[in-house]
Amino acid sequence: MKREGGICIKMQRGDNSFIPAPPIGRRFSPVQSFRSIFAALAILLFYPVVAPAIEQWGIFELALKGPTEGNPFTEVNLSAQFTQGTNVVVATGFYDGNGIYRVRFMPETQGRWKYTTASNVRKLDGQTGSFRVTKPSRQNHGPVRVAHTYHFAYADGTPYEELGTTCYVWEWQPEPLQEQTLKTLASAPFNKIRFCVFPKHYAYNTNEPGMYPFPGELAAKNWDFTRFNPKYFQHLEQRVADLQKLGIEADIILFHPYDEGHWGFDRMPAD
């Protein structure tokens, strides 16, 4: 907001409230200065910043700037403790490239939650905040769990009757084929799909993925297994989110690279 002959300090709370700062070069008496300070404090006290909102069973994400030197994947520890009354949940954070560290949390209950981070890096340690958890949207029934020993149900009690399919590495095919797969699934009866994290090389698929889970070169097979390729996993996350929009559960195969030595991912050391 522009003010003639002065500067405006704007305090957002859903309207256009602001505190005018003293015009440049003009002197104020101690009384006037005190009044300005008091007015600013009053607004902060009576019009607090509203905590961000997220729906129940949604994803709260905390993104923090941190160090890039060394190996952030192995040298930086980050977690956050989320609390609501007596409910305490600790979530482990991760490095997502370009100096960004993230912690994600799925709140199971509505209301106000608080968090505090813990890290061996001072810049990431002791970060605090809060957020509000609202009612879930109409299509959000929560995660699928075992119900009554022999059945499945969503967290809100809605029965889940599984009808699944397998498409091992659909997310690592050429982009047009990925989009075609999503379009086909949108009109299909399936509510679960099983697929791999790693690319797959075998008789029915010899397509080379556009990227790899670790930094390195295919020709040399000099993969650095101490680091991840963030873009690879960001793409995987996006495809999981695309399935979620269709109401399809992602059944992910974590540690089974069908490689047969082509990339060497199936020959990674145990650690």
Side-chain angles (χ1 to χ4, degrees):
M1 181 178 294
K2 184 177 180 181
R3 297 277 292 179
E4 294 294 334
I7 302 173
C8 286
I9 303 173
K10 191 172 182 181
M11 306 294 292
Q12 280 295 143
R13 65 174 188 87
D15 56 20
N16 293 322
S17 302
F18 64 88
I19 308 169
I24 297 174
R26 182 178 175 183
R27 294 184 178 180
F28 279 74
S29 69
V31 174
Q32 290 175 311
S33 298
F34 176 79
R35 288 174 178 172
S36 296
I37 295 172
F38 181 79
L41 291 174
I43 288 180
L44 291 174
L45 289 172
F46 293 103
Y47 298 94
V49 177
V50 178
I54 180 175
E55 65 181 74
Q56 185 179 7
W57 301 308
I59 299 176
F60 171 82
E61 181 178 279
L62 176 64
L64 302 171
K65 290 286 290 184
T68 59
E69 61 273 7
N71 189 341
F73 295 101
T74 60
E75 297 173 5
V76 178
N77 298 321
L78 173 65
S79 65
Q81 179 173 282
F82 296 87
T83 59
Q84 183 193 58
T86 58
N87 293 332
V88 179
V89 180
V90 177
T92 302
F94 62 96
Y95 182 60
D96 203 27
N98 297 320
I100 301 297
Y101 294 78
R102 303 185 191 277
V103 181
R104 291 174 180 161
F105 169 63
M106 183 191 72
E108 298 258 12
T109 56
Q110 299 173 29
R112 188 181 184 89
W113 283 81
K114 299 179 180 180
Y115 65 83
T116 302
T117 65
S119 176
N120 60 338
V121 175
R122 184 175 181 180
K123 188 176 182 179
L124 302 174
D125 187 54
Q127 300 292 321
T128 62
S130 65
F131 55 94
R132 296 177 297 113
V133 178
T134 61
K135 292 182 179 180
S137 54
R138 187 171 62 89
Q139 297 298 324
N140 182 0
H141 300 290
V144 174
R145 293 169 176 156
V146 174
H148 311 296
T149 307
Y150 304 107
H151 303 280
F152 293 108
Y154 293 98
D156 68 353
T158 302
Y160 175 74
E161 298 176 354
E162 178 188 320
L163 181 59
T165 186
T166 297
C167 195
Y168 281 126
V169 285
W170 71 277
E171 78 279 26
W172 304 123
Q173 301 303 310
E175 192 74 17
L177 186 54
Q178 294 180 42
E179 294 299 327
Q180 180 184 337
T181 301
L182 289 170
K183 185 176 180 180
T184 301
L185 288 171
S187 59
F190 302 116
N191 59 11
K192 190 200 79 165
I193 181 172
R194 189 168 182 257
F195 57 99
C196 302
V197 170
F198 287 90
K200 183 180 175 71
H201 185 86
Y202 73 131
Y204 301 100
N205 178 72
T206 57
N207 290 339
E208 201 69 25
M211 62 188 89
Y212 302 98
F214 308 100
E217 297 179 359
L218 174 60
K221 296 183 181 178
N222 56 348
W223 313 109
D224 184 353
F225 294 134
T226 69
R227 299 172 183 265
F228 292 111
N229 176 7
K231 291 184 179 180
Y232 183 94
F233 292 94
Q234 289 163 5
H235 178 77
L236 175 65
E237 291 172 347
Q238 180 57 56
R239 286 318 189 194
V240 172
D242 292 335
L243 294 172
Q244 183 185 41
K245 293 176 183 178
L246 298 177
I248 298 175
E249 299 295 321
D251 183 359
I252 300 175
I253 306 171
L254 294 177
F255 302 113
H256 201 324
Y258 293 85
D259 191 327
E260 298 183 356
H262 180 68
W263 299 292
F265 300 147
D266 58 349
R267 288 154 172 75
M268 290 187 293
D271 57 352

